Amino acid sequence: MGAAKSSCQGFLHYAFDYETPKTLVVPSIAAGVVFRFTQLLILLYLVGYVCIVQKAYQDTDSVVSTVTTKVKGYAVIKGSANTSSPQFRDVADYVIPPQGDKSFFVVTNMIVTTNQKVSHCPEIPKPSTLCNQDSQCTTGLEDLRGNGVRTGRCVNYSDTVQTCQVLSWCPLEEDTGPNKEALIDAAENFTLLIKNSVTYPKFNFHRRNIMPHINSSYLKTCVFNSSTDPHCPIFRLKQIVSDAGEEFQVMAVEGGVLGILIDWTCDLDLWASQCLPKYSFRRLDDNNKSHVLAPGYNFRFAKYYKSPEGTESRTLIKAYGIRFEVIVFGTAGKFSMLPTLVNLGSTLTFLSLVPTVSDWFLLTFTKKRGVYSKHKTTHLRDEDEEDEDENKQSVKEKCFYCSLDWFVI
Amino acid sequence: MGAAKSSCQGFLHYAFDYETPKTLVVPSIAAGVVFRFTQLLILLYLVGYVCIVQKAYQDTDSVVSTVTTKVKGYAVIKGSANTSSPQFRDVADYVIPPQGDKSFFVVTNMIVTTNQKVSHCPEIPKPSTLCNQDSQCTTGLEDLRGNGVRTGRCVNYSDTVQTCQVLSWCPLEEDTGPNKEALIDAAENFTLLIKNSVTYPKFNFHRRNIMPHINSSYLKTCVFNSSTDPHCPIFRLKQIVSDAGEEFQVMAVEGGVLGILIDWTCDLDLWASQCLPKYSFRRLDDNNKSHVLAPGYNFRFAKYYKSPEGTESRTLIKAYGIRFEVIVFGTAGKFSMLPTLVNLGSTLTFLSLVPTVSDWFLLTFTKKRGVYSKHKTTHLRDEDEEDEDENKQSVKEKCFYCSLDWFVI
Amino acid sequence: MGAAKSSCQGFLHYAFDYETPKTLVVPSIAAGVVFRFTQLLILLYLVGYVCIVQKAYQDTDSVVSTVTTKVKGYAVIKGSANTSSPQFRDVADYVIPPQGDKSFFVVTNMIVTTNQKVSHCPEIPKPSTLCNQDSQCTTGLEDLRGNGVRTGRCVNYSDTVQTCQVLSWCPLEEDTGPNKEALIDAAENFTLLIKNSVTYPKFNFHRRNIMPHINSSYLKTCVFNSSTDPHCPIFRLKQIVSDAGEEFQVMAVEGGVLGILIDWTCDLDLWASQCLPKYSFRRLDDNNKSHVLAPGYNFRFAKYYKSPEGTESRTLIKAYGIRFEVIVFGTAGKFSMLPTLVNLGSTLTFLSLVPTVSDWFLLTFTKKRGVYSKHKTTHLRDEDEEDEDENKQSVKEKCFYCSLDWFVI
């Protein structure tokens, strides 16, 4: 045998000799049962919890969505129907903004102040605006809780009350709170069409809430009902509010924010065709009156007019109403190699702990633990080594671990 | 040796004696090859799939973004150019809302009903509104598919047709569908500037779609083109629509929703400077006519006027057009300890399964499996144990597993 | 012993015999220390990094949120206070859109062009619009950088300058850039109320930024200050801008985009009551003048008027101002079985690597490595096998690995 051949052989032995642990087979039914039972538990966890409950073999993606909305309906303002100037509102009047966004506001109540012009007028009476003489009204004071810049004059608000004069849009809005009954109470019968298209970009999956298999004549007449018509995209506002646990006519007085939640959580592995939207409704603002700053929901906007002479006037509307927000959420899962292997790997780690548990059981609780231990474990005693290193530290061995020579290798 | 020393030694033996499995080295080239090959496969999976394909060593974050848009262009309404009252529209007229949001609507077609006042007028003729006498028109009926509240009178709609009279904004809109050719066809030449700033909060990474290294004189004249000018933030509407696979003049008639998708998927480890936006375009609404409820995209809005006498009138506009939605998405990845270790750990688990596979191969398929098995595995027979427990159940041993005494430890 | 009984026994042996590795206990203090120390390191990593720093035992969810905003304040336009026609603006005039969205714009500066009518007027002078004779003005040319469609006539813009006549909203806006000082400088004192309600759907956790335990009289008077009043939901615009590192009066001239970031990152395991919003502020648009296309933030909108004769006119407003964007983000973590087990499993894998490291140390660096190796590893030599297969290939053994017979099993 030449040297080259020998070194070749050495390398090959190094690379391809197979080293395998020696094992002992113990006919202990108890240890065997513990071993198999623990394995079974972990497999059950893997199959039951990791695979079935958590679907950990799936990669997930979040929904990307587009929503367009369209409200229909009209209303005569309460109490105006039989007057000489009935007030009529349709969708162009009460939906703000008009362009069919996923968040829109339906006016249900309002305080209208017509024909405001920038001029001088007395402040609304309240402790800080009452006055008897001009000196109580500081010129130019901009009280952020007031309505305008003081001119420095104290003028008659009524026959008995004098307040500081301000530069503002006059006459000032007399905000005594919303009407106790909503002016546009017919809003509860308005209908809302929601068109929602979703995408899971990672899986290149597209879907719409108006399913192609749904009959179009059905779509033209249906109204959403969570039990009988759960896939109809047309909603009655009253139904939405009541499904959220609120009463429309109560909510309409001061306004509020109402979430229309569309849940697109889907399993795209087997049941992609079952990937359907689930609608739910929840009031999003705080209606606990005692804790609330500025309860309800309202805002002010104006319509501007110009007289033939060119002076600008406006109609100020403090609009109370319900803001509807369509909130689309959801996560889709689909089989993917990486999470499967990561989760499988993690679970298999626990399988590799089973022998540790079983060994501990075998060597601690079985009757014949002495026999098993003797065959399983070989104790390499210091004396054994001495056979080969006979001339070495015989003292040290007496207290192998009790001297400072410990860390001598 | 004192007792203390002895117990000290006992503890130290317990804590620091090192227990290591006994192994058997088998010169089986086949088992060695199986062992190394399986190891190699797993390492390839680790390096190739986990590291390179999935970048599992990275922590990820989702993009937070702000978008502002600005449309430019003007148009003369089709057919009005040579009339005595040409109609001209600029950005303040046709972009709704005007404030440069990430979602905006460009009017391309419309039905205008001028000089509407709240008053009484005959309904638009259709089966449910036709009448011969007042009794067919129920007073106060609010038909949600009608246009107003019935007054109870049956009046002439034309010389030959009578319909129920309603209280509404009169004259009613005559909605015979959009013009067959878009009125603002010049909208295809409008340009759109998109300013988009993104943040990956977890990595404190900020970026804008207008890159600082881009020449500002280039920016003033460029127009986006996916192949020649992929980083120009100025888009021509026609190009956007055609990149989405649609034709502008067709889409302009009934309207639609068009997504401008900006993908900021980035690898922040090595190529942060290569973190550039990728633009793509997709029609988001369903243009499959047969399945669609309310195809296209339109909404109604009004401009309000007041006569010198104070009566309010409005111009109702049913606007058809294209809603553009800038959708920013993306995930950034950056090296992080935790996912690296989790994924590494999971993969190493598979490495720890290699010996199991190799053992099975060694003891099943190799020629000398008998020899290997004999050396690898020691069977502790019941008889072996008997040597030490000679006086015990000799009958039981005959069928160790077949009696109910099984679970006696 | 019958055959049935025997096969039964065989199966039971197969299923329940417990196979356990044989081990060798080595009293090597060095190997023991390496073993325990490596174990300790991994446990420290598990406890310290995985559990405490990364909270890898938690499942996470992203925040779903709703925001409503309300601005308060009024202003007299700079320089108009002492004129005959003071200009006064309140919230209905300067907040766009008015409905209290999470993104809103406050006008701080503007260029107003009143009484525009669709008609013919000379272009704004610039190189491409100057002319001496009609032939220089192509009829019907729609220059996207111009303001209207050319009529083909060259007319006097002033006594000395002639430009092409266009069909447009006339008079044209003379955009010489924003006023050097913001016209609505008082906007810095406006206050902003933010109502934000958040949900972590996975954990069914709801919270509002106006906490129920906060005194409502405090809420009525407080103003947000990051150090003294970090939970007051009322913000002064000037404070917001200065917290973002900008100066209000500077930003107000050309406008910009300002992010109000609300961070709801929460640990819901122990400190759910400590789940409070953290506000921060950041300018979102690029204020690096040199790199910017269209710096600042502005847009045009119009108010429409109708004369008694029915001709329409408009007031065009180029509004500069600050767009505020309320951006709500955050991730909540809560203990969950799956990530705990996955991360624990991955870490335990590293524990299972400890013996490999220790073995390598034991057999490489310890003094008595020869002894240990001899006891730990049994080399199954080819000669050993020969005892049993004596009549076989004696040549092959000479160079076991060096022939092509290798893959013979």
Side-chain angles (χ1 to χ4, degrees), chain B residues 54-67:
Chain B
Q54 292 285 346
K55 292 188 177 150
Y57 57 87
Q58 291 189 329
D59 196 8
T60 58
D61 194 13
S62 288
V63 72
V64 170
S65 108
T66 316
V67 172

Side-chain angles (χ1 to χ4, degrees), chain B residues 112-337:
Chain B
V112 180
T113 312
T114 52
N115 209 27
Q116 285 191 324
K117 293 193 176 81
V118 176
S119 54
H120 296 152
C121 50
E123 259 283 11
I124 304 296
K126 54 181 177 174
S128 62
T129 60
L130 292 174
C131 62
N132 296 314
Q133 51 191 57
D134 290 357
S135 62
Q136 288 173 297
C137 299
T138 318
T139 310
L141 178 74
E142 298 192 15
D143 173 14
L144 277 177
R145 288 167 206 286
N147 291 296
V149 187
R150 297 197 178 176
T151 58
R153 294 185 56 206
C154 183
V155 294
N156 285 343
Y157 176 79
S158 64
D159 288 351
T160 54
V161 177
Q162 283 192 311
T163 59
C164 294
Q165 193 190 49
V166 288
L167 167 69
S168 187
W169 285 98
C170 292
L172 297 177
E173 179 190 79
E174 297 200 36
D175 187 354
T176 53
N179 299 48
K180 291 290 163 287
E181 291 189 16
L183 288 175
I184 311 186
D185 57 347
E188 66 180 27
N189 292 322
F190 295 170
T191 58
L192 165 66
L193 164 66
I194 297 179
K195 294 204 254 177
N196 175 214
S197 117
V198 296
T199 300
Y200 286 106
K202 209 186 270 178
F203 308 131
N204 199 25
F205 180 85
H206 308 289
R207 193 54 66 104
R208 288 190 172 84
N209 71 327
I210 303 178
M211 267 84 67
H213 68 267
I214 289 187
N215 193 312
S216 71
S217 66
Y218 167 75
L219 285 179
K220 268 166 195 148
T221 56
C222 71
V223 173
F224 176 86
N225 181 304
S226 54
S227 48
T228 60
D229 297 88
H231 295 303
C232 175
I234 298 171
F235 302 80
R236 190 173 290 255
L237 298 198
K238 185 181 187 173
Q239 186 69 39
I240 292 177
V241 176
S242 87
D243 280 6
E246 303 284 329
E247 204 180 322
F248 191 92
Q249 293 303 341
V250 172
M251 198 169 172
V253 173
E254 287 210 318
V257 184
L258 215 138
I260 300 170
L261 293 90
I262 309 184
D263 182 357
W264 279 96
T265 300
C266 285
D267 180 337
L268 300 183
D269 279 328
L270 288 176
W271 299 281
S273 66
Q274 293 303 307
C275 184
L276 302 174
K278 276 173 282 302
Y279 301 92
S280 61
F281 310 94
R282 202 157 59 75
R283 183 165 185 170
L284 299 175
D285 63 322
D286 198 348
N287 61 340
N288 180 341
K289 292 273 164 76
S290 60
H291 293 137
V292 173
L293 193 65
Y297 190 63
N298 63 71
F299 61 88
R300 288 182 180 83
F301 69 98
K303 296 177 189 170
Y304 297 88
Y305 306 106
K306 210 175 228 174
S307 73
E309 303 81 47
T311 59
E312 195 177 28
S313 66
R314 72 175 192 184
T315 295
L316 178 69
I317 296 153
K318 182 171 184 181
Y320 295 84
I322 303 175
R323 182 161 121 193
F324 292 91
E325 301 224 355
V326 182
I327 298 170
V328 180
F329 66 100
T331 310
K334 200 172 189 176
F335 173 78
S336 169
M337 213 55 195

Side-chain angles (χ1 to χ4, degrees), chain B residues 70 90 93 99 195 368 401, chain C residues 17 294 297-298 304 385:
Chain B
K70 192 163 205 169
D90 67 11
D93 304 317
Q99 70 264 20
K195 294 204 254 177
K368 301 177 183 171
Y401 285 110
Chain C
D17 267 5
Y297 190 63
N298 64 70
Y304 297 88
E385 302 171 39

Side-chain angles (χ1 to χ4, degrees), chain C residues 57-106:
Chain C
Y57 57 86
Q58 291 189 329
D59 195 9
T60 57
D61 195 13
S62 289
V63 73
V64 171
S65 108
T66 316
V67 172
T68 63
T69 58
K70 194 162 202 168
V71 181
K72 282 202 171 166
Y74 53 82
V76 176
I77 288 197
K78 205 169 194 166
S80 79
N82 299 315
T83 64
S84 62
S85 62
Q87 284 183 285
F88 180 87
R89 307 280 153 141
D90 66 12
V91 69
D93 304 316
Y94 63 70
V95 175
I96 300 170
Q99 69 263 20
D101 266 347
K102 69 180 170 191
S103 165
F104 61 94
F105 177 85
V106 173

